[in-house]
Amino acid sequence: MQLDLESLSEATSGAIGSLVSTTVLYPLDTCKTKYQAEVQAHHQRKYKRISDVLWEAISTSQVLSLYQGLGTKNVQSFVSSFIYFYGYSYFRKMYLKKTGNKTIGTVANLIVATAAGVCTIVITQPLDTASSRMQTSEFGKSKGLWKTLSEGTWSEAFDGLGISILLTTNPSIQTRFFFPQQYTAYDQLKQRILKGKRTGTKSSPEALSAFSAFMLGAVSKCAATCLTYPAIRCKVMIQAAESDDDKCTEAERKAQRTISGALYTIWRREGILGFFKGLQAQILKTVLSSALLLMVKEKIAKSTWILMLVIGRYLSMNSPKLKAV
């Protein structure tokens, strides 16, 4: 049995970075998600701007409700990031080993990243759906994870799976890891910055400075978000809690749970600009989240690597059949 310490180190540091960024930015994420989930003509909207969501929480003394669903979101972020970081790192190493190349090209990087992203999404989609429903519930009336999932059918727990798989192109464009889990553009830029540095067989992986990681993460995520935003908006609508709109019939509510239905509803009620409603908030949240994740990951990468080496040596000494690589 082989223990891939480098992949495990990547997965652990990436998951911790995801946990930190999700927790710090969660109130902004809740405001953004509730704003995106509302589909109405401008004069009928409850939220004219994203700040209206924050003001509602403050005026109704429900500020803590900005954190509704945080536990579920953290579990989803940690698990998905760990699976993606480990899977990407592991398959990337397999590719380099079989081809004999020292670096991975852009096309191969996209394929590996997308494959890892699809596997991650299939496993964690119910958690993603539950957290979205909790965030879009009325302030103070959010339900727990089990109750949220058990109210619907098993298939409803996978609402938005198709569009989530489509959105794996987002992290693939952005960097070498993942989901939220990261991303080709980031990886290529990172390799150029670190070009010329050498690492020994058992030395720690190369890491960027916190500032460099933050800036690269921000730029690459901003580009990816702009390209895929209409799909992101549809995904939020599909996964959102039931609407309180009296004008919306049961048939229309069911139709909105499909990609075509969500697209049609946005087009009919808000026009073409509706597909980009909340884009600024999405960019702000995702750029800060991705940049913070990558900054934390890069800063703890070496410490995590040393810890993995210690664990690997301990396991090797106590189990001769376990070979650390």
Side-chain angles (χ1 to χ4, degrees):
M1 179 181 178
Q2 289 187 334
L3 181 64
D4 190 343
L5 294 181
E6 185 173 347
S7 296
L8 190 59
S9 174
E10 289 278 353
T12 302
S13 57
I16 293 174
S18 178
L19 194 65
V20 172
S21 65
T22 297
T23 302
V24 171
L25 299 173
Y26 196 75
L28 173 61
D29 189 34
T30 298
C31 292
K32 171 198 70 70
T33 303
K34 287 180 72 69
Y35 181 68
Q36 289 172 321
E38 185 184 30
V39 186
Q40 294 290 352
H42 191 272
H43 65 282
Q44 296 176 323
R45 290 178 188 171
K46 180 180 179 181
Y47 306 122
K48 296 293 193 299
R49 56 190 67 84
I50 191 173
S51 58
D52 291 342
V53 184
L54 176 62
W55 176 246
E56 181 188 17
I58 296 174
S59 62
T60 58
S61 301
Q62 295 288 344
V63 176
L64 291 180
S65 292
L66 291 172
Y67 291 91
Q68 58 192 28
L70 176 60
T72 300
K73 192 72 170 183
N74 272 339
V75 172
Q76 185 258 334
S77 296
F78 186 89
V79 173
S80 61
S81 293
F82 186 92
I83 294 173
Y84 187 95
F85 274 82
Y86 185 89
Y88 177 85
S89 180
Y90 182 79
F91 289 121
R92 182 174 180 272
K93 286 183 65 177
M94 283 184 58
Y95 171 83
L96 294 176
K97 184 176 181 180
K98 288 185 177 295
T99 60
N101 297 331
K102 293 183 178 180
T103 59
I104 185 171
T106 302
V107 175
N109 210 349
L110 281 169
I111 294 173
V112 171
T114 301
V118 170
C119 294
T120 302
I121 286 168
V122 171
I123 295 172
T124 62
Q125 186 66 24
L127 291 173
D128 187 34
T129 300
S131 64
S132 293
R133 290 179 182 171
M134 291 176 186
Q135 285 182 308
T136 54
S137 296
E138 186 178 345
F139 283 135
K141 296 185 178 181
S142 177
K143 302 168 185 174
L145 171 60
W146 177 249
K147 193 169 184 179
T148 299
L149 291 176
S150 61
E151 283 184 338
T153 63
W154 179 243
S155 62
E156 288 177 345
F158 287 88
D159 278 347
L161 177 61
I163 207 163
S164 293
I165 291 176
L166 175 64
L167 285 170
T168 56
T169 56
N170 185 319
S172 297
I173 290 170
Q174 187 193 357
T175 75
R176 64 178 278 200
F177 315 111
F178 156 63
F179 99 203
Q181 260 125 335
Q182 329 266 342
Y183 322 92
T184 302
Y186 175 86
D187 185 60
Q188 302 303 316
L189 291 171
K190 177 180 176 179
Q191 288 183 20
R192 291 189 179 186
I193 291 177
L194 296 176
K195 187 176 181 180
K197 291 186 177 182
R198 297 180 179 179
T199 56
T201 305
K202 287 295 182 179
S203 63
S204 62
E206 294 174 307
L208 295 173
S209 67
F211 179 76
S212 295
F214 186 94
M215 293 304 298
L216 289 185
V219 171
S220 55
K221 188 62 177 180
C222 183
T225 298
C226 290
L227 289 173
T228 58
Y229 186 74
I232 294 173
R233 175 94 201 276
C234 288
K235 176 175 175 286
V236 172
M237 281 185 57
I238 292 170
Q239 293 182 322
E242 291 293 337
S243 173
D244 294 328
D245 185 6
D246 295 332
K247 298 179 182 179
C248 189
T249 65
E250 186 63 27
E252 288 177 325
R253 288 192 181 95
K254 289 183 178 179
Q256 289 177 18
R257 299 296 183 186
T258 65
I259 297 176
S260 59
L263 289 171
Y264 176 73
T265 301
I266 294 174
W267 174 267
R268 180 168 60 87
R269 295 190 177 186
E270 300 180 345
I272 192 169
L273 293 180
F275 292 108
F276 295 93
K277 175 190 173 186
L279 175 60
Q280 300 93 327
Q282 181 73 32
I283 289 178
L284 176 62
K285 184 266 171 182
T286 54
V287 167
L288 289 177
S289 176
S290 179
L292 183 58
L293 184 158
L294 294 169
M295 182 179 72
V296 173
K297 178 193 173 298
E298 292 291 337
K299 292 306 292 182
I300 68 173
K302 290 187 176 182
S303 299
T304 306
W305 173 252
I306 294 173
L307 178 61
M308 291 301 108
L309 287 179
V310 172
I311 294 174
R313 177 164 297 185
Y314 174 80
L315 293 175
S316 297
M317 292 174 61
N318 289 272
S319 179
K321 293 182 180 181
L322 184 62
K323 181 182 178 182
V325 294

